[in-house]
Amino acid sequence: MSESTTPQNGPQGHRTVLLRGGDVHSPADPFATAMVVERGHVAWVGSEGAADAFADGVDEVVHLDGALVTPAFADAHVHTTATGLALTGLDLTRARSLGEALALVREHTAARPHDRVLLGHGWDAARWSDGRPPTRAELDEAAGGRPLYLSRIDVHSAVVTTALLDLVPGITGRTGFHADAPLTADAHHAVRAAALGALTPQQRAEAQRAALRHAASLGIGSVHECAGPDISGEDDLTGLLRLAADEAGPRVVGYWAQHGEEGIARAKELGALGAAGDLFVDGALGSHTACLHAPYTDSGHTGTAYLDAAAVAAHVVACTEAGIQAGFHAIGDAAVSAVVDGFRAAAEKVGLARVRAARHRVEHAEMLTPETIAAFAELGLTASVQPAFDALWGGDDGMYAQRLGAERARTLNPYAALLRTGVPLAFGSDSPVTPLDPWGTVRAAAFHQNLEHRVSVRAAFTAHTRGGWRAIGRDDAGVLVPGAPADYAVWRTADLVVQAPDDRVARWSTDPRSGTPGLPDLTPGAELPVCLRTVVFGQPVFVRPEE
C-alpha cells in the first residue's frame, strides 16, 4: 500500500482522504474499489472510474494496491488492563504441564524483583498432562515467598501464594476459600482486588496502552470494557476512559457491573454506558462455577449462583427506568434461565416495549435451549458471545465435554439458532480469556465444532463489526456507507470469497448477480488477513511499519 499526500488542511480527523485501487467491503456497492472519508465520516463509496472526480479535491490519496478495506472490528467484551498485563507479563497459556508453569513462575519472579505483587494469567490444568493446578506450597517455593496471583484461563478462579493471602484480612472466612485448591467466588474476588490494587497508576496505564495498541494492530476500532467492583475497580475504569479520550487509539465503551440503584449511580458517575457487562449471575464452566440445572459430569454439584431471578428483575427495572443498559454474565443453563425469568418479570412491571427498546445484554450465554433462545428474541436481548470459546473448549474431547459430558457439550454456543430466531449477536474475545483475534473469532463461528451451530462468514463478520455497535444502541455505524463513522481497517489478504455453512446458500451468494461482497477465505489452515492500517473516526491509530 502506498500513498501520496497534499498539504494538510486542519486536524488529521478533519482531512479529506480518498482510498482507491482496492476492494471496499460495503453494502452500498458490492463492487466498490474506492472510498472518500471527510470529517471523520464516510462520504462516498464507489468505483475506480468515479474516484477520478475526487482525486484533485482531497487532502490525501491512499493507493490501496489491491488491499481490502472493511469496517474496523468491535470487540464486545474485553478486560483491557488484564489483557495488557497478559501481553507484557506472565502468560501461562503456553504452559503444557504443571512443571512448565512453575518454571515460568520462577523466571518471572527473577525478572521482576521490585514488583509488590506478581501477576500472571492463563493456566488451564484441564489441558495439562498432570491434570491438576499447583498447590500453595509449590507456588510459595516458585515465587520465593512473594505475593503472587495466577488467574485460571477463564478468570473465575485463581491460585495464589500464602504471602498474597496475608494481604487480605478475613480471607479464610470468605465463600470460595479453599485451603489448598483454587479460590473461587468472593475469596477469588478479594484476592484479585488486592493483587490489582498493588499496581501503580503507571503500571496500569502501561498495561492499558499495550492492550489498546495491540487491538489497533489487529484492526479493532472499538472495545467494550467490562469493568466492575469485583473485577478491576473504579480507578481502572476511569483511568482507561481518560486514556482513550486523550490518546489516539480504539474507542473504549465502558460498562460497570454493579447491581441495583447504587450500581446504576456509580455507572453514571464513572462514565459507563450501562450497569452491565460482567454482572455475575454465575461463574464459568472451567472453574465449575457456572450454574447448572443438572450436576457437572466430573463433579457432584451444580455450580454457583450469585443472582436469582428476583435480583435480575429488580436490576432490569431500575436500569430501564433510569434509561441505561442492564446486562448480566450468564453461562450455565440455570443462570440463563434466571436471567430470562428476571427479564420477563421486569417486562411485566415496566412493559415489554420498554425492555426491548433498552437493548439490554447478556454476556456469554453459552448453555441455551430453544425456549431461552426464543425468550432472548422476545425480550430484545443482545447475546454478547465469544466464538473462540468453542474453538478452545468445544468438541467431544474438549473441556466442555469433560465438565458436562459430550451430549450436553454439543448444545453449547448455538449461533445459528440464535440468528435464525432473530437474536442480535455481538462478538468479542473476553480477552485475556481468549486473545484479541477478530478474524480468528469470525473463523471460529463460521467453522464451529458443531456443524449445526455454524453461521456464514458474512453473518459472523457482521456480528463482529456492526453487531458491536448495535449492542451499544448505534445502528448507524460498523458499516462503510455514506454518513457512517469512518472506523475502518485495511488488510493484505488473498482472493475474496463468499463462504456459507449451507451449500445452497453458498451457490446462490457466490453468483455475481447476488451482489454479495466477498470476504477473505477463512477455511481452517488458510492464512488470516494482515492488518496494514486501522483508522478511527478518520484518524489513523495503527500503520504497519513496513507499509
Side-chain angles (χ1 to χ4, degrees):
M1 184 176 69
S2 58
E3 46 185 83
S4 60
T5 60
T6 57
Q8 296 188 15
N9 295 326
Q12 179 78 30
H14 290 172
R15 301 172 68 215
T16 302
V17 179
L18 168 64
L19 298 91
R20 65 184 307 177
D23 290 290
V24 179
H25 187 87
S26 172
D29 184 345
F31 307 109
T33 61
M35 180 173 75
V36 173
V37 172
E38 186 174 22
R39 301 189 67 82
H41 291 81
V42 177
W44 172 84
V45 174
S47 66
E48 189 64 22
D52 290 336
F54 296 96
D56 292 335
V58 300
D59 301 306
E60 179 183 0
V61 177
V62 176
H63 297 284
L64 296 170
D65 298 332
L68 171 67
V69 183
T70 71
F73 286 101
D75 192 310
H77 194 119
V78 173
H79 303 285
T80 306
T81 302
T83 297
L85 292 171
L87 288 169
T88 60
L90 177 53
D91 179 7
L92 295 177
T93 57
R94 65 186 187 275
R96 294 168 295 182
S97 67
L98 172 59
E100 285 190 14
L102 291 172
L104 290 170
V105 170
R106 292 187 188 96
E107 292 175 11
H108 186 71
T109 300
R112 311 286 293 205
H114 304 298
D115 288 3
R116 288 182 288 179
V117 173
L118 300 165
L119 297 105
H121 167 74
W123 62 269
D124 185 1
R127 306 177 72 192
W128 287 350
S129 56
D130 316 72
R132 69 169 179 87
T135 65
R136 187 156 300 132
E138 288 170 332
L139 281 185
D140 286 346
E141 183 276 328
R146 295 169 63 186
L148 169 70
Y149 167 87
L150 296 179
S151 54
R152 189 186 181 280
I153 192 168
D154 60 13
V155 200
H156 282 270
S157 60
V159 289
V160 303
T161 57
T162 302
L164 181 58
L165 291 179
D166 291 343
L167 299 178
V168 187
I171 184 63
T172 58
R174 288 180 178 262
T175 303
F177 177 82
H178 308 284
D180 205 17
L183 305 182
T184 61
D186 289 342
H188 173 229
H189 297 159
V191 296
R192 176 165 58 189
L196 295 178
L199 291 174
T200 66
Q202 292 78 15
Q203 285 176 306
R204 187 168 57 234
E206 287 173 7
Q208 292 170 347
R209 283 193 186 93
L212 293 178
R213 281 197 302 265
H214 184 57
S217 76
L218 297 171
I220 297 171
S222 61
V223 298
H224 300 182
E225 166 67 17
C226 292
D230 293 330
I231 302 165
S232 54
E234 295 182 5
D235 289 344
D236 188 90
L237 176 60
T238 56
L240 175 62
L241 295 177
R242 187 165 53 250
L243 185 148
D246 293 343
E247 300 181 10
R251 302 172 191 255
V252 177
V253 177
Y255 285 97
W256 182 250
Q258 187 173 354
H259 185 264
E261 298 286 354
E262 181 181 357
I264 293 169
R266 295 304 295 144
K268 289 183 174 180
E269 290 169 9
L270 295 171
L273 186 66
D278 274 331
L279 182 49
F280 299 124
V281 178
D282 69 344
L285 291 165
S287 293
H288 291 99
T289 51
C291 191
L292 312 180
H293 285 304
Y296 285 89
T297 297
D298 62 349
S299 180
H301 64 85
T302 57
T304 305
Y306 297 118
L307 297 176
D308 60 15
V312 169
H315 189 66
V316 173
V317 168
C319 286
T320 303
E321 292 181 338
I324 69 172
Q325 280 184 304
F328 303 91
H329 162 119
I331 287 179
D333 50 2
V336 173
S337 293
V339 167
V340 165
D341 291 346
F343 269 102
R344 280 183 169 147
E348 290 177 3
K349 184 167 184 179
V350 300
L352 178 59
R354 290 183 68 190
V355 168
R356 288 179 58 86
R359 300 195 191 188
H360 301 303
R361 298 171 54 143
V362 182
E363 309 298 318
H364 314 308
E366 294 196 75
M367 293 186 70
L368 296 161
T369 64
E371 292 75 23
T372 51
I373 292 172
F376 272 44
E378 174 193 359
L379 295 160
L381 304 180
T382 294
S384 171
V385 296
Q386 294 74 40
F389 287 6
D390 173 74
L392 183 60
W393 296 316
D396 288 348
D397 298 320
M399 183 272 288
Y400 290 152
Q402 294 175 28
R403 295 291 186 267
L404 304 171
E407 184 175 350
R408 269 196 296 179
R410 291 188 197 106
T411 68
L412 266 62
N413 303 306
Y415 303 135
L418 286 163
L419 283 179
R420 281 196 304 269
T421 312
V423 177
L425 295 184
F427 282 177
S429 62
D430 198 9
S431 181
V433 175
T434 59
L436 299 169
D437 180 16
W439 285 113
T441 295
V442 174
R443 170 186 278 170
F447 294 91
H448 195 294
Q449 297 201 50
N450 186 329
L451 297 178
E452 294 181 5
H453 301 331
R454 292 181 175 181
V455 298
S456 69
V457 168
R458 183 185 182 191
F461 178 78
T462 299
H464 212 354
T465 50
R466 197 169 192 180
W469 284 93
R470 286 172 166 166
I472 62 171
R474 292 282 301 272
D475 293 329
D476 61 333
V479 61
L480 300 181
V481 297
D487 288 24
Y488 62 90
V490 181
W491 308 91
R492 181 172 63 238
T493 187
D495 292 341
L496 305 182
V497 298
V498 176
Q499 292 175 295
D502 187 307
D503 286 342
R504 293 168 299 173
V505 174
R507 283 197 301 272
W508 172 83
S509 54
T510 53
D511 188 314
R513 291 171 297 179
S514 72
T516 303
L519 284 165
D521 181 1
L522 300 185
T523 303
E527 185 176 349
L528 293 176
V530 174
C531 184
L532 304 179
R533 175 180 292 215
T534 305
V535 174
V536 174
F537 200 55
Q539 180 176 4
V541 298
F542 168 77
V543 177
R544 184 162 293 279
E546 64 268 26
E547 299 301 323

